[in-house]
Amino acid sequence: MLTIRYLGHSAFSIDDGQREVLIDPFLSGNPTAATSHEEHQPVAILLTHAHNDHVGDAVAIAKRENAPIITTYELANYLASEGAQTIGGNHGGTVKFAGGSAKIVPAWHTSSYTTSSGQVVAPGVPAGFVVRFGGETVYFAGDTCLFGDMQLIGEEGLDAAVLPIGDHFTMGPEDALRAVKMLKPKVAIPCHYNTFDLIAQDEREWAKKVESETDTRVAVLAPGESVALGS
Ligand code: NI
Ligand code: MN
C-alpha cells in the first residue's frame, strides 16, 4: 500500500507506512505549500530537474535527514557541491532507495538552477521517474510536454501517473489527456497548475474529461490531501 500526498505545485510525499520519500520538495516560497520542509523525514528525495520550483528545499532536507537526493548525474554532482548526499543516475537506469526504487525516464523540458547568490547554472537534463514503492508503481512525469515514448512508460504497468496540466511551462490539459491515453494508469493525479496565474487550470473539468474518455480514475488533490493505493 502506498499513500501519495500532494504538497502543492509539483511536490509530493509518498509513504509505504514505514518510510517517506519526497519528490520535488518546493515548499519554502511555494504559495500553495501544504507543509514546511521541517515536517518531513524522508529516506530519499527524488528531483526531476534543476528548476528552483522543483529543487526547492531538497538540499536542506537532505542534509538534515542524512537522506540521498536521487536525480540525473550532473544535477546530483552540482547539489553534492552544496553539501548534500546525492546519487546520480541517468535515463534508463534504476536507482534503489530504502524500501523501493526509482527508474529514471526521459522528460522534454529544460533544467537550470538559480543559486542563492543569483548565479544561473544548467546542470544536466530533466527526467521523470517510475517509482516502485509500497507494492505500487507510480510514474512522476516531472515537467514535460507530451511525447510518444509515454507509450513505453505505460508498458511498465502503472498504478498511478502524476502529470502536469498547467500549460505554458509543461503540457496543458489536452495533451495531458492524450498522455493518460498512452500511459493507461489506474489513477491519474494532476499537478503543476494553479500555483501561479500563468498556469491556472480547471482541474475538475480535466478530471471529468479523462474519466469520460478513458478507464483511468482521476484523483484531484488539494495541497495537503492524499490518495491511498493498494490495500
Ligand atoms: Ni521546470
Ligand atoms: Mn516547474
Side-chain angles (χ1 to χ4, degrees):
M1 123 136 200
L2 187 71
T3 304
I4 301 178
R5 186 177 184 207
Y6 187 38
L7 303 177
H9 194 55
S10 206
F12 286 86
S13 163
I14 58 176
D15 193 312
D16 71 347
Q18 292 176 62
R19 312 169 195 86
E20 177 186 29
V21 171
L22 289 175
I23 297 98
D24 290 353
F26 168 50
L27 300 169
S28 303
N30 172 354
T32 63
T35 60
S36 69
H37 77 78
E38 290 86 355
E39 295 168 53
H40 297 280
Q41 297 175 296
V43 295
I45 302 158
L46 310 182
L47 294 185
T48 60
H49 63 295
H51 284 154
N52 294 65
D53 62 319
H54 296 258
V55 173
D57 301 300
V59 172
I61 300 167
K63 285 182 184 172
R64 188 188 66 231
E65 300 299 329
N66 199 26
I69 293 174
I70 297 170
T71 188
T72 47
Y73 186 74
E74 287 77 13
L75 180 56
N77 284 348
Y78 182 77
L79 296 178
S81 78
E82 293 200 340
Q85 179 194 152
T86 65
I87 303 173
N90 221 324
H91 300 128
T94 298
V95 177
K96 290 195 175 118
F97 55 79
S101 68
K103 182 175 182 180
I104 302 170
V105 294
W108 277 95
H109 192 63
T110 58
S111 191
S112 61
Y113 180 70
T114 307
T115 66
S116 49
S117 60
Q119 190 197 356
V120 178
V121 294
V125 295
F129 293 105
V130 176
V131 175
R132 290 186 167 84
F133 189 39
E136 305 294 310
T137 301
V138 182
Y139 171 48
F140 289 87
D143 282 2
T144 187
C145 61
L146 178 71
F147 56 95
D149 287 351
M150 285 181 177
Q151 193 84 40
L152 297 176
I153 295 169
E155 289 172 13
E156 306 255 348
L158 303 175
D159 295 297
V162 176
L163 303 172
I165 66 162
D167 213 337
H168 195 92
F169 299 110
T170 67
M171 58 188 174
E174 284 174 26
D175 283 351
L177 169 62
R178 295 169 70 192
V180 170
K181 289 176 181 175
M182 281 195 275
L183 294 162
K184 297 181 173 61
K186 290 181 194 152
V187 177
I189 300 167
C191 69
H192 213 275
Y193 65 95
N194 290 358
T195 320
F196 317 106
D197 290 345
L198 266 179
I199 55 174
Q201 294 298 339
D202 186 339
E203 70 279 15
R204 302 269 165 201
E205 200 52 45
W206 183 75
K208 235 189 267 171
K209 225 170 187 179
V210 170
E211 291 189 342
S212 72
E213 293 186 28
T214 74
D215 295 328
T216 295
R217 179 170 74 85
V218 177
V220 169
L221 303 175
E225 289 183 344
S226 53
V227 61
L229 306 178
S231 49

